[in-house]
Amino acid sequence: MVEERLKLEPEVQEIFTCIDNKRNFLLSGGAGSGKTHSLVQVIKQVIAENPTSRIACMTFTNAAVKQIEERIGHANLSVSTIHDFLWDNIKHFQNELKIALVSMANDPLVEKIKIEDPTPVPNDFFDPCEKGIQYKEYLKLNKGIISHDELLLVANYLFENYPKLCDIVKDKFGFIFIDEYQDTDKAVVVILLDHFNQSVKHNIVGFFGDAMQSIYDDGIGNLDAYKGTNPDQVQEIKKEQNRRNPRAIIDLANRLRTDGITQVPSIDRTAPNMTTGGEVKEGIIKFIYSTNPDIDPVRSYLSENFGWDFSNSKETKELNLTHNLIADKAGFRTLMDIYDKERILELKYKITKEIKEKNITIAEAATFGEVIDQVNLMISPTTEIGRFLTENPELYEKARGYLFSDFRKIYADKEQLLDDKKQDEEDENKKGTKRDNLIRHLFKIQNNIFLYQNKQYNEFLRVTDFSILTIGDKEDLQKNIEELTSVGDKTIEEIINLADENGICFIDDNLVRFKIENEYLYDRVKEVKFSEFQKLYDYLEGKTPFSTQHKTKGAEFDNVFIILDNGKWNDYNFENLFLGSGKASVLERTQKIFYVCCTRSKEKLAVFFHDPSAGVITKAQEWFGAENVISLP
C-alpha cells in the first residue's frame, strides 16, 4: 500500500496521513485545481485499503453525483446529494420524526415549521398519516410531507437529540466525504462535526471545496470555525496547482482571491491547460468597455479578432447575473414578466398579508375585487403595481372577478418557468424539477416538434402520443406533426389544442388540473405566442450561449464572456468590486461570483462593462493589464 500511495498526488498523500491519524480533513483548492480528481483518488485508495468499509460521498448536485459514479463503481460506495443522504439515514425512524416535527412546530423560534391549527400541536398529530412522514419536492406539513428546507431542520434536530442515531450512521459509514462543502448548509456541518461527537464510535469526515466559490447565501461558506492543528479539529490541506485555466486567467484569479491560496500552473504535462509541448497555455483576457450598452458590437469584435463562435453553446458562454438580464436577449421576456413580475399576483400577496395581520373576515363567496374594496389597501399609482393596474385595466377587471378563495391559491415564481436549465445540449436534466405542469406540457409539445424537425424519428415515435397501427396512420402522423411545426403566430393555447387534436401530445390530467387551479395564470400564458416559448425551450435546453453566472458554477468552457451588469439587484455591485468600496457583504458576494465566472474559461476570457468610471478603468488595467483594456465606440 505504501508504493500505491506514493503514486498519488502529494495533497492526497497528506489526506491519508490524516486518515492514518484518525483526523477529519479539508482539501481546499482554487477553481480548476482538480478537487474532484483528488476526491476520486481518495475514494479509490480508501476502497483498496479498507475493502469492507462503506463510504458515503455527498455532493451538491445530481450532475456531480453522476460524474463521480461514472468514475468509480463499487458496491461499498454510496454517492448521493446531501439531502438524499440525510433522508436515507432518518426516514425509518418514524416515531422520532413525528416527535421532532411536533416539537419544532410548537417552538416559536422555529419559523419554517409551523402548523396554525391546532395550537399547540398535539403529540399524536401525525399519527393519521398513512405513509408516515415523507420527503418530497413540496411542503404539505399537515399531511406529514416535508421538503428540502424542512429536511435539514428535522435532521439536525434528530442527530442532536438522539445520539444513538449518530452511532448508527458512524457504524454504517467508516468514511463520509463532502464535495463542494462551501455550498453545504451549516446544519449539515453541525451534524457531522458537532453532533457526531456525541458518539464514541469512530469514522473519518473529509471535506473538499473552495471558500472562494461559496456563491450561495445558504451555504456555510468556510470551515474557519473548525480548522486547526489540534486532533479534534479539521486539518486543512491546500491544493494550489491549477489544471484548467491558462496562465493569464490564473494570474487574474490570484488577484481576486482573498484567502491566502495562490494558484500555480499544474506540473502535470498532460493537464488540460498544457500545450502539446508540455507548457502552460498563455490564454487571452480582455476587459472591454463602451458608452454604448449594445452587446452586439462587442460580440462582433470578439468574433472578428479572436475567433469566438457565439453559435456554439458548448464552447462559448455569455454570462449574465440574472435570468431577467437574459430574457430580452434570448427572446422570452413576456413569459419572464408573467412568472417573475406579475403585479396583480403581487397585489394579491399584499392583500392576503393585510388580511392575516389585521384578522379581517372575508366572505366565502367574495370575489377578488370585493376583497380589494373591503381591505382598502392603498396602492400608489406611481408604484410598479399601480402603474401595471393603470396600464392593464382589462386584465385587472378580469382578475377582480375571480373568487378570492380560488385566486389566493395561485402562485407564480420564475423557478416554475426556468428551473432545470442545461449548460449545453449534451447536459442532462437533474433529478426532479420545479417547473409547473403547464411549462412541462409545453416542453412535451416542443420536444416532439424538435425531434421531428431534427430527423430523430425513432426518438420522436417513442415520445409522441400518436398511435400507429397501419400505414395510413403513419401518413396521418406526418401530416399532423408537420401542421404542428408550422407555428407562425399561433398562441400557446392554439398549439396546445392543435397538439391535442392531432394526437401528438394529449391534454392530460395534470394540465387540466393546472388550468382549474391556476386559471388566471393559465389565461395570462395562453395568449403568448408559442414561438416565444420555443425560444425559452432553446435557452433551457442549452442551445443558446446564454447562462446566468450562478448556474455556470462547476462548468468550464473554452470561451467565457461576462456581462458586468447588476440588473438592479442590490446584493451585487460590480462598480464597487473594482473600486473596493461599498457594503462589505455585497463586495464579498460580488467578488466571489466574479471569481467563479472568470475561472470557467479554458482559453479566452472577455469582460464587458458599460460606461465605467475612471476608477473602474484604472483597476481593470491593474487586474487585466493596460494592453488588455479595450475601449469600443
Side-chain angles (χ1 to χ4, degrees), residues 108-141:
L109 298 178
V110 182
E111 296 180 358
K112 289 186 178 180
I113 297 181
K114 286 298 172 201
I115 297 172
E116 293 184 5
D117 186 41
T119 303
V121 179
N123 292 334
D124 61 353
F125 181 81
F126 294 104
D127 289 352
C129 298
E130 292 183 5
K131 296 183 179 181
I133 306 303
Q134 302 175 71
Y135 165 53
K136 296 184 179 293
E137 293 175 1
Y138 57 88
L139 174 67
K140 284 192 176 179
L141 201 52

Side-chain angles (χ1 to χ4, degrees), residues 400-605:
R400 287 176 60 90
Y402 287 99
L403 275 177
F404 181 67
S405 57
D406 294 334
F407 197 76
R408 73 184 302 170
K409 298 175 185 176
I410 297 174
Y411 169 76
D413 182 84
K414 62 180 180 290
E415 287 300 306
Q416 295 170 290
L417 181 76
L418 299 168
D419 190 41
D420 204 9
K421 181 192 176 332
K422 296 180 180 180
Q423 285 297 350
D424 59 64
E425 295 183 63
E426 296 179 11
D427 197 4
E428 290 195 6
N429 294 104
K430 67 185 183 183
K431 177 184 176 184
T433 178
K434 295 177 183 176
R435 292 176 190 162
D436 66 33
N437 283 323
L438 172 57
I439 300 303
R440 293 190 201 192
H441 189 83
L442 296 178
F443 256 82
K444 286 168 61 179
I445 294 173
Q446 178 56 24
N447 200 38
N448 274 275
I449 293 173
F450 173 80
L451 292 172
Y452 181 78
Q453 288 180 327
N454 287 271
K455 297 181 171 55
Q456 295 175 241
Y457 298 127
N458 289 335
E459 185 68 10
F460 165 66
L461 291 172
R462 189 182 69 81
V463 302
T464 185
D465 288 339
F466 198 97
S467 296
I468 299 178
L469 301 175
T470 67
I471 294 177
D473 290 338
K474 287 186 177 180
E475 295 173 351
D476 289 341
L477 173 58
Q478 183 178 1
K479 176 176 68 70
N480 290 356
I481 183 63
E482 287 182 353
E483 182 184 8
L484 187 63
T485 59
S486 302
V487 170
D489 287 334
K490 292 185 180 71
T491 66
I492 281 175
E493 184 173 54
E494 287 172 331
I495 292 295
I496 288 174
N497 291 334
L498 185 59
D500 181 68
E501 292 161 7
N502 287 4
I504 304 300
C505 184
F506 291 128
I507 295 173
D508 61 12
D509 291 347
N510 286 330
L511 183 59
V512 171
R513 186 166 58 252
F514 180 91
K515 290 168 69 174
I516 294 171
E517 295 176 353
N518 300 274
E519 185 179 353
Y520 175 77
L521 184 58
Y522 178 80
D523 285 348
R524 291 294 317 275
V525 174
K526 74 178 184 181
E527 301 296 337
V528 179
K529 286 183 173 59
F530 188 78
S531 57
E532 177 168 327
F533 176 79
Q534 290 181 312
K535 292 175 181 176
L536 172 68
Y537 175 91
D538 287 346
Y539 169 64
L540 294 179
E541 288 296 286
K543 304 177 193 299
T544 74
F546 306 114
S547 176
T548 60
Q549 293 168 4
H550 288 79
K551 289 291 184 182
T552 199
K553 183 175 177 296
E556 55 185 32
F557 308 97
D558 288 350
N559 309 312
V560 173
F561 179 33
I562 306 171
I563 313 297
L564 297 185
D565 185 337
N566 306 328
K568 299 180 181 179
W569 195 357
N570 294 329
D571 288 344
Y572 297 85
N573 191 305
F574 289 115
E575 181 173 22
N576 286 348
L577 167 66
F578 282 79
L579 299 179
S581 61
K583 190 176 179 181
S585 61
V586 173
L587 185 61
E588 180 183 13
R589 192 180 293 114
T590 309
Q591 191 165 18
K592 287 180 177 180
I593 194 68
F594 187 54
Y595 172 85
V596 167
C597 291
C598 290
T599 54
R600 300 308 97 201
S601 173
K602 297 189 291 181
E603 302 281 348
K604 305 164 194 168
L605 169 70

Side-chain angles (χ1 to χ4, degrees), residues 12 14 40 61 85 110 134-135 176 185 239 245 310 341 364 375 395 424 483 495 499 520 525 570 607 613:
V12 174
E14 288 186 58
V40 169
T61 66
F85 172 84
V110 182
Q134 302 175 71
Y135 165 53
I176 297 177
D185 192 284
K239 189 174 190 187
N245 304 128
F310 283 91
K341 297 180 179 178
E364 188 175 342
V375 173
L395 188 63
D424 59 64
E483 182 184 8
I495 292 295
Y520 175 77
V525 174
N570 294 329
V607 174
S613 65

Side-chain angles (χ1 to χ4, degrees), residues 16-231:
F16 276 94
T17 300
C18 288
I19 291 174
D20 291 343
N21 294 326
K22 298 183 177 182
R23 291 279 311 268
N24 295 331
F25 64 87
L26 160 64
L27 180 70
S28 294
S33 61
K35 294 181 291 296
T36 302
H37 179 73
S38 300
L39 171 61
V40 169
Q41 278 197 353
V42 170
I43 293 174
K44 287 181 175 179
Q45 189 66 21
V46 165
I47 290 172
E49 296 185 16
N50 306 270
T52 61
S53 294
R54 291 193 62 186
I55 304 163
C57 178
M58 290 177 273
T59 190
F60 198 63
T61 66
N62 286 288
V65 169
K66 183 175 182 290
Q67 182 184 19
I68 294 171
E69 286 178 334
E70 286 175 346
R71 296 192 194 185
I72 314 168
H74 195 276
N76 287 346
L77 174 65
S78 173
V79 188
S80 68
T81 63
I82 291 165
H83 286 78
D84 286 344
F85 172 84
L86 292 174
W87 180 245
D88 284 344
N89 283 285
I90 66 175
K91 64 184 179 182
H92 298 299
F93 300 95
Q94 284 292 322
N95 287 335
E96 289 78 5
L97 280 167
K98 292 173 183 177
I99 292 170
L101 283 174
V102 169
S103 176
M104 287 188 286
N106 289 328
D107 187 341
L109 298 178
V110 182
E111 296 180 358
K112 289 186 178 180
I113 297 181
K114 286 298 172 201
I115 297 172
E116 293 184 5
D117 186 41
T119 303
V121 179
N123 292 334
D124 61 353
F125 181 81
F126 294 104
D127 289 352
C129 298
E130 292 183 5
K131 296 183 179 181
I133 306 303
Q134 302 175 71
Y135 165 53
K136 296 184 179 293
E137 293 175 1
Y138 57 88
L139 174 67
K140 284 192 176 179
L141 201 52
N142 284 21
K143 302 288 185 182
I145 297 173
I146 59 174
S147 65
H148 278 45
D149 291 343
E150 297 75 37
L151 173 59
L152 293 173
L153 293 172
V154 171
N156 185 59
Y157 180 97
L158 290 181
F159 281 103
E160 180 180 12
N161 290 281
Y162 297 96
K164 190 172 182 180
L165 183 57
C166 301
D167 289 340
I168 292 170
V169 176
K170 291 176 81 170
D171 262 343
K172 186 177 181 180
F173 295 105
F175 299 86
I176 297 177
F177 301 134
I178 315 293
D179 193 20
E180 301 288 356
Y181 83 88
Q182 70 277 357
D183 295 326
T184 303
D185 192 284
K186 183 179 179 181
V188 178
V189 176
V190 168
I191 289 170
L192 297 175
L193 295 181
D194 291 328
H195 300 337
F196 269 25
N197 284 337
Q198 300 177 93
S199 169
V200 296
K201 306 282 186 178
H202 174 72
N203 74 347
I204 296 291
V205 180
F207 299 88
F208 298 75
D210 180 12
M212 194 66 191
Q213 296 185 65
S214 58
I215 59 174
Y216 301 108
D217 289 340
D218 53 359
I220 192 168
N222 60 67
L223 294 182
D224 291 351
Y226 296 94
K227 290 190 302 188
T229 57
N230 294 331

